[in-house]
Amino acid sequence: MIYSINGILEMVEPYHIVVECGGIGYSIKTSMTTISKLPQSGEKIHLFTHLVIKEDALELYGFSEMAELQTFKMMISVSGVGPKAAVSILSNLSPERFALCVASGDAKSLRAPGVGPKTSERIVLELKDKVSKAQIASGIASTDSPAVYEKGGNAAEAISALEVLGYTRGEAAGAVGKLDASMSVEEMIKSALKMLAGKV
């Protein structure tokens, strides 16, 4: 499996780029969110990647942030949701916003080109089931940090969303507990993601 790629950005098209690495041009499919963060052609870039193996093709998907890749992999684990649908959603929503929509049951906000009501509802249903709100509440109650108690519902929602992205309840609660109580749920998720990725 190709974990990541470092190389020179050769070409940019909607949902598709070419990266030259070691004399080979890699065709990589990606979201418009990642494309919006890329430098000019001819400059170096780094992407986290996932190889999708089909009967008639190998398709490489790449994203500028690990959180976006994790969200992509989470979505394609849902029955009936393919890579194209996942990329379409990620072109409209940040990873933290996606996690918040799933945690809060907001299927409508997941709709995107090629992603209708049934698909968005299936994503919420299958991913939300992986997060037990009772467990989240228990996790908060067992945390020693006073900040977690103070944040109450916002903390619960943020922790739930982080669990949707694949973090354990302990990891999520530990990160959220260090954040400012005045932050919104989305700000908590974004800051916690950076903390969990070791960027802060």
Side-chain angles (χ1 to χ4, degrees):
M1 190 64 67
I2 303 173
Y3 176 80
S4 65
I5 186 168
N6 280 294
I8 303 298
L9 182 62
E10 292 289 334
M11 184 185 75
V12 179
E13 295 179 343
Y15 305 102
H16 172 243
I17 62 175
V18 174
V19 179
E20 191 277 326
C21 180
I24 299 173
Y26 290 89
S27 175
I28 302 174
K29 296 185 178 183
T30 189
S31 69
M32 295 306 293
T33 299
T34 284
I35 286 177
S36 71
K37 298 176 183 177
L38 295 177
Q40 297 293 321
S41 294
E43 295 188 25
K44 290 184 179 180
I45 64 168
H46 175 266
L47 298 175
F48 297 101
T49 59
H50 178 76
L51 183 63
V52 175
I53 301 174
K54 297 184 175 182
E55 289 184 4
D56 57 348
L58 297 176
E59 296 180 341
L60 189 62
Y61 288 80
F63 304 95
S64 60
E65 297 181 1
M66 178 57 75
E68 196 174 3
L69 173 62
Q70 289 176 327
T71 305
F72 171 81
K73 291 167 72 174
M74 182 73 69
M75 275 193 276
I76 63 174
S77 72
V78 175
S79 60
V81 179
K84 286 184 179 179
V87 164
S88 184
I89 292 173
L90 284 170
S91 292
N92 289 342
L93 297 175
S94 64
E96 54 270 18
R97 185 65 188 168
F98 169 82
L100 182 58
C101 288
V102 172
S104 63
D106 183 10
K108 187 175 181 179
S109 293
L110 298 182
R111 295 181 192 175
V115 181
K118 290 184 179 179
T119 300
S120 60
E121 287 168 9
R122 189 183 307 118
I123 290 171
V124 169
L125 179 63
E126 292 197 23
L127 296 185
K128 193 174 182 181
D129 283 351
K130 296 181 180 180
V131 182
S132 167
K133 297 218 171 180
Q135 287 180 326
I136 293 165
S138 174
I140 293 173
S142 65
T143 303
D144 293 331
S145 171
V148 175
Y149 289 109
E150 292 169 8
K151 284 188 281 289
N154 277 7
E157 285 192 51
I159 292 169
S160 175
L162 289 165
E163 284 199 288
V164 169
L165 291 176
Y167 292 99
T168 67
R169 188 171 70 251
E171 289 172 333
V176 171
K178 298 175 183 177
L179 300 175
D180 189 331
S182 66
M183 297 171 74
S184 68
V185 176
E186 191 167 349
E187 288 172 336
M188 287 182 185
I189 298 167
K190 192 169 186 177
S191 296
L193 280 172
K194 290 181 179 179
M195 196 181 302
L196 290 164
K199 293 182 179 180
V200 294

